[in-house]
Amino acid sequence: MKRKTVFWLALFAVLAALGAGTYLLRGVAGRRAVVSVDGEPMRTVDLTAAAVPYEFTVETDYGRNTVRVSQGRIAVVDADCPNRDCVKQGTISDGAIPIVCLPHHLVIQIED
Amino acid sequence: MALLTAVELTIWVLEGQIPPPIPVPGVKLGLASVVTLAAMAVLGRREAGCILLLRVILGCLFAGSFSAIIFSLAGGVLSWAVMASLIGLFPEKLLWVVSVFGAIGHNAGQLLAAVAVTKTPGLFWYGPALLTSAIVTGAFTGLGAMYLVRALRKYRERRGF
Ligand SMILES: [Zn+2]
């Protein structure tokens, strides 16, 4: 019984460490952000050329998302989706985690 | 069972108010799954499935969007299926292991749903991060479920049913 507990603890610890390692490796800052809807790139943003922050709106049949770009960072600041998870997600500045708005099929990923 | 559904729903609604530990859609503490797993251990697989479905449907009346239902179902059903097929294979002391596998199933289901909805296979890159978060949250919710199982057993004994 004890040995089984140790076995599972060790296995999960290794898996969790591997997952965290991959996450950290991908978490490097990128130069551009790609906004896509249904997997189709709608707009590519140069994050190194945003000394003055600006906003733009992505409007599709699914709905509307207002995106704010500042130096090295990008965020959805307003959206008419029901849960507004994309807005709650806040600002991203690296490729570790994308911004996703599921109701609008929208993804914002930072790439190098 | 109605009591458990109510508890799970309340937790789920409350949980929606807490910001997720990692800002990925779907990465929540998964406290509601404590109830699903405990119900499975004490009442049975089918009862736990009913509680889960009720929670998803009622929960979406509050959240109010179709894509939220699909997303919630994808995680919930896969997690339920994984736990239902494993729960017989592990002794009760290792219930937390079942919980971890359930959490991995939950995140995998949500990731699949997210990739399908957004048609962005690149999201699979976030699989490893979701794996780590599933292991951590699954272990904690598993411990929670083990406590709840003990409490439910005592409650049943006292009530004599
Ligand atoms: Zn949104």
Side-chain angles (χ1 to χ4, degrees):
Chain A
M1 177 61 80
K2 268 255 172 72
R3 236 198 294 156
K4 278 188 180 159
T5 303
V6 171
F7 166 77
W8 287 110
L9 270 177
L11 179 72
F12 289 141
V14 169
L15 283 176
L18 282 177
T22 317
Y23 169 79
L24 291 175
L25 278 179
R26 284 187 52 81
V28 287
R31 277 187 291 253
R32 56 197 190 104
V34 181
V35 183
S36 48
V37 175
D38 272 338
E40 297 291 326
M42 302 282 287
R43 191 164 173 153
T44 302
V45 181
D46 186 353
L47 294 177
T48 58
V52 182
Y54 62 93
E55 292 181 3
F56 61 87
T57 301
V58 179
E59 192 144 21
T60 63
D61 292 344
Y62 303 117
R64 180 184 51 77
N65 296 71
T66 303
V67 180
R68 185 176 170 82
V69 182
S70 48
Q71 196 70 5
R73 307 162 148 265
I74 190 161
V76 174
V77 285
D78 191 32
D80 59 0
C81 55
N83 50 19
R84 286 171 61 83
D85 279 344
C86 51
V87 180
K88 285 179 214 149
Q89 220 183 310
T91 306
I92 59 167
S93 56
D94 58 44
I97 294 291
I99 295 177
V100 179
C101 179
L102 272 189
H104 295 172
H105 301 201
L106 175 134
V107 176
I108 302 177
Q109 274 174 300
I110 294 185
E111 305 178 342
D112 205 19
Chain B
M1 195 175 126
L3 175 77
L4 280 180
T5 309
V7 169
E8 185 162 347
L9 189 64
T10 314
I11 293 174
W12 190 77
V13 169
L14 282 178
E15 209 179 61
Q17 313 304 316
I18 307 170
I22 307 179
V24 181
V27 179
K28 290 189 175 162
L29 282 170
L31 291 175
S33 69
V34 169
V35 181
T36 310
L37 184 56
M40 198 181 277
V42 175
L43 300 173
R45 299 180 174 104
R46 216 175 334 140
E47 287 77 359
C50 287
I51 291 174
L52 172 79
L53 285 180
L54 270 174
R55 190 252 296 172
V56 168
I57 292 163
L58 288 174
C60 288
L61 293 181
F62 289 100
S65 90
F66 184 68
S67 67
I69 298 184
I70 298 294
F71 201 52
S72 199
L73 263 181
V77 169
L78 204 58
S79 157
W80 175 86
V82 169
M83 294 196 297
S85 45
L86 290 181
I87 196 162
L89 303 176
F90 286 89
E92 212 163 287
K93 275 208 167 150
L94 288 178
L95 197 62
W96 66 272
V97 176
V98 179
S99 171
V100 169
F101 280 115
I104 293 173
H106 177 267
N107 283 6
Q110 296 214 320
L111 183 61
L112 284 172
V115 168
V117 167
T118 62
K119 301 187 185 72
T120 310
L123 291 182
F124 279 126
W125 275 108
Y126 306 101
L130 289 176
L131 176 71
T132 301
S133 100
I135 290 171
V136 174
T137 56
F140 279 108
T141 55
L143 292 179
M146 286 162 79
Y147 276 105
L148 188 56
V149 164
R150 250 172 269 156
L152 280 173
R153 289 250 160 80
K154 263 187 209 152
Y155 176 80
R156 278 185 134 189
E157 271 163 32
R158 233 182 296 138
R159 285 298 193 84
F161 71 110

